[in-house]
Amino acid sequence: MRAIIAIVTACTALAIPAVAAAFSGFFVSASGEGLHNDAAVVVLMRDGDHTVLSLQNYYDGPPEDFALVVPVPTTVEEGDIRVLSRDLFERVDRLTAPRLVEYWEQDPCPRDEGLALGTDDAEPAQPAPMVVESVEQERDEAREPTGVAVTARFSVGEYDFEVLDAEQSVGLERWLRRHGYRVPDGAEALLRPYVHAGMKFVVAKVDVSRLPAGRGALSPLRIHYRTDALSLPLRPGALNSRGAADLIVVILARGVRYEAANYPNFAVPTNLDVAVNTGDAFGPFYAALFDRMVELHPDAALTEYAWDAASCDPCPVPPLSADEVASLGGDVIPSYGEDVARGEVPLSFVGDFVVTRLHLRTTGGSLPRDLDLRPAPPIRGGVGIPGPAGDLDKGVAVASRNYFQGRFVMRHPHEGEVACDDPRRGVWGGPRGTHYYASLGPVQSAAGSAFATRGGFDLAGYLPRDVATLEGPGAAQELPRGPVTPPPVRRPRGGCGACAVPGLVGPRVSAAGPSLFFSGILGILGISGFMGLLRTRRRRRIARALPPTPPSC
């Protein structure tokens, strides 16, 4: 069974067709007006056969009379659907998008007094708390003449949901028409394989009165279900496709990176040197570079990021917190769900997950198949500090851990006076006047590059050293294959053996210090007892080996 998402939405602000194509579905409108979706961000959490899918839908104006249709492998209920914070999705996008870093050439004639340590007093922005509104669920088992049964009704956030069980694709099309939605020609044939596969359909109608005016995106939806295979649909978007559109898929999985199973896999160029003016147009620059990669590899899934969730280097925003990982699905997957419910998770909770970011782009007729995903070996690339020769490793290779990022380097050569006999050139570090290992300053992220203005961008003017890299297929590197070690099965544990993470799921969380202290004491006592047992057994073996002692008179 395959997890398929079909997004359906419309809006009266623009006079365009009533049904508009998205990457994973099509939009339907009751008013006869529609809106195309030029980009979609999907976040998947995977643990065994448990999948938590969160999706962000964008629009350009105030919505009216529209709905989202989401096919899912099994029937879902109110507890399986939540509404997430938009800020959380923005943070995930910024954290995983390719980044721009800056290096300054250090003074070739260092002074004896040394350099001051640089500091960054800026307070990182924190995501807004997640707000979920739950309404009593209603059930309607009455089967309509269309062959569609409404198995559940409930409301979450600005959405009113109906869960449909359709016997035939033509019946689903009739149900949508009967309830005021205009369906495009050809929809029945496209939906047929998903209906035959036993998929259920979640219709999410937006209550405009609960939607803040002027917002550019709906609140992200999170749906929890179980499925053997991990897949996303791309074919439904062919119904009324407007042309090019971007799909960004971020996967969080315990201890393993993911890649496309049915598309070629390439890594985006990394560690390329860019001109010093790139900082003024990094978003459009990366959008143009990405489009060049799509021209060279039109049917490829491009990996932009693969790193553990608890760290990053450099970090455009702080790494994900325990609360954020729980919100993205850590509170329901079997490895941690029970621990999170108790407010107690291991200190390694966040770091246990690997974050993978895949980027695909349709270019009119490309991406004809649904996107199947599979585990992949860890990779390394886009790291390191320039040495005296100034070169950075631009390759990607299989490694013991995931350390890969799309990274671009902007260097500032030393322009001051060189007043010494033996200058050291090509030593790169932080801003002038800071320590060599100090923070490199603000790190720009290419988040939102899917919405950047396309066309008319001269890449050669921004790649003075590495323009030749973009002249052939070597611009993007095909990802190597290797053995994949599945993460060990983790069973939830409670009591004194579980370490609490402060701040997670409210006041039930306690400090981890006392628990660790007593655990350490118990560990020491256990080791002492074990060593004593070994000494006792050794004395007994020696005693059995000696001749018997003659009886005394």
Side-chain angles (χ1 to χ4, degrees):
M1 197 173 290
R2 310 172 75 185
I4 304 176
I5 299 300
I7 305 172
V8 188
T9 190
C11 161
T12 59
L14 300 176
I16 53 181
V19 181
F23 239 113
S24 50
F26 54 90
F27 302 160
V28 294
S29 168
S31 65
E33 305 293 340
L35 178 67
H36 284 280
N37 196 0
D38 293 329
V41 179
V42 175
V43 179
L44 293 165
M45 181 171 285
R46 182 73 168 171
D47 187 31
D49 62 351
H50 285 256
T51 300
V52 182
L53 183 147
S54 304
L55 57 137
Q56 173 78 80
N57 306 296
Y58 295 88
Y59 66 91
D60 292 333
E64 182 177 337
D65 298 328
F66 68 93
L68 295 80
V69 176
V70 182
V72 292
T74 59
T75 298
V76 296
E77 300 182 352
E78 181 179 356
D80 298 318
I81 298 180
R82 298 178 62 180
V83 175
L84 302 181
S85 164
R86 292 174 60 216
D87 291 341
L88 175 56
F89 258 65
E90 292 173 0
R91 271 186 35 78
V92 171
D93 188 21
R94 292 185 61 192
L95 176 66
T96 59
R99 67 254 356 244
L100 174 68
V101 299
E102 297 183 67
Y103 287 102
W104 283 260
E105 187 179 20
Q106 306 300 290
D107 189 345
C109 303
R111 301 177 179 85
D112 294 337
E113 60 266 23
L115 299 174
L117 182 65
T119 59
D120 184 4
D121 298 327
E123 193 69 25
Q126 298 297 323
M130 179 180 63
V131 178
V132 177
E133 178 185 357
S134 178
V135 181
E136 285 295 324
Q137 174 180 334
E138 300 177 2
R139 291 186 178 273
D140 181 7
E141 302 294 345
R143 187 167 294 274
E144 299 186 354
T146 57
V148 174
V150 180
T151 62
R153 287 194 181 100
F154 51 91
S155 297
V156 182
E158 66 258 36
Y159 302 98
D160 294 321
F161 294 95
E162 289 181 295
V163 181
L164 309 182
D165 186 356
E167 293 179 347
Q168 298 178 350
S169 55
V170 66
L172 175 62
E173 181 181 359
R174 289 173 181 169
W175 188 94
L176 290 172
R177 293 184 187 277
R178 182 170 298 179
H179 286 76
Y181 297 109
R182 298 176 60 184
V183 181
D185 296 335
E188 186 274 329
L190 189 142
L191 293 173
R192 188 181 304 135
Y194 303 135
V195 174
H196 288 175
M199 305 289 290
K200 314 302 177 185
F201 295 84
V202 178
V203 178
K205 296 183 290 187
V206 175
D207 186 339
V208 180
S209 65
R210 283 182 260 156
L211 188 66
R215 291 176 62 176
L218 298 174
S219 297
L221 286 180
R222 193 191 90 169
I223 305 175
H224 173 216
Y225 52 85
R226 299 181 67 175
T227 177
D228 293 333
L230 189 58
S231 178
L232 287 173
L234 303 182
R235 290 176 294 169
L239 276 176
N240 280 29
S241 178
R242 190 167 61 176
D246 282 59
L247 172 65
I248 295 172
V249 183
V250 178
I251 306 104
L252 285 86
R254 282 201 319 116
V256 66
R257 176 179 68 89
Y258 267 80
E259 68 179 12
N262 57 341
Y263 284 91
N265 289 278
F266 285 81
V268 296
T270 189
N271 272 354
L272 300 188
D273 280 279
V274 297
V276 293
N277 60 335
T278 307
D280 299 328
F282 183 54
F285 161 80
Y286 180 74
L289 184 141
F290 180 82
D291 290 349
R292 174 61 177 154
M293 301 303 102
V294 174
E295 291 176 6
L296 296 171
H297 310 286
D299 292 329
L302 294 171
T303 297
E304 295 179 326
Y305 190 82
W307 209 282
D308 75 85
S311 65
C312 48
D313 183 19
C315 300
V317 293
L320 295 176
S321 67
D323 276 321
E324 290 170 332
V325 173
S327 296
L328 292 170
D331 58 342
V332 293
I333 61 174
S335 292
Y336 300 104
E338 294 181 13
D339 290 343
V340 173
R342 288 191 301 268
E344 297 179 337
V345 295
L347 296 176
S348 63
F349 174 53
V350 177
D352 286 349
F353 290 92
V354 172
V355 182
T356 307
R357 176 186 172 114
L358 305 179
H359 196 163
L360 302 94
R361 183 169 176 82
T362 61
T363 55
S366 65
L367 303 178
R369 305 176 301 278
D370 292 347
L371 174 64
D372 299 331
L373 299 166
R374 68 187 177 195
I379 55 175
R380 183 182 188 276
V383 295
I385 297 177
D391 294 331
L392 283 166
D393 185 4
K394 298 176 175 59
V396 56
V398 172
S400 59
R401 296 183 63 185
N402 284 289
Y403 291 107
F404 177 83
Q405 58 188 340
R407 187 177 77 152
F408 300 87
V409 179
M410 190 164 62
R411 307 195 202 196
H412 302 275
H414 180 75
E415 298 176 350
E417 181 183 1
V418 178
C420 60
D421 296 333
D422 187 19
R424 292 186 58 199
R425 302 304 301 253
V427 178
W428 302 92
R432 298 182 181 94
T434 64
H435 191 271
Y436 177 74
Y437 294 105
S439 169
L440 301 184
V443 177
Q444 288 198 47
S445 170
S449 59
F451 301 98
T453 302
R454 249 72 178 197
F457 198 91
D458 182 17
L459 283 173
Y462 290 84
L463 293 166
R465 296 181 50 165
D466 293 317
V467 65
T469 305
L470 303 182
E471 297 301 322
Q477 302 180 60
E478 189 168 8
L479 289 177
R481 292 294 300 161
V484 179
T485 303
V489 176
R490 182 187 181 277
R491 306 189 186 283
R493 57 197 179 107
C496 296
C499 300
V501 175
L504 184 64
V505 295
R508 288 176 294 175
V509 180
S510 58
S515 176
L516 292 175
F517 173 77
F518 287 113
S519 297
I521 294 297
L522 292 175
I524 294 173
L525 294 177
I527 293 174
S528 299
F530 179 70
M531 296 302 296
L533 177 62
L534 289 179
R535 287 194 295 268
T536 301
R537 295 185 63 181
R538 182 171 180 273
R539 286 196 296 267
R540 290 175 179 174
R541 286 198 302 270
I542 294 174
R544 286 196 297 268
L546 294 175
T549 303
S552 56
C553 299

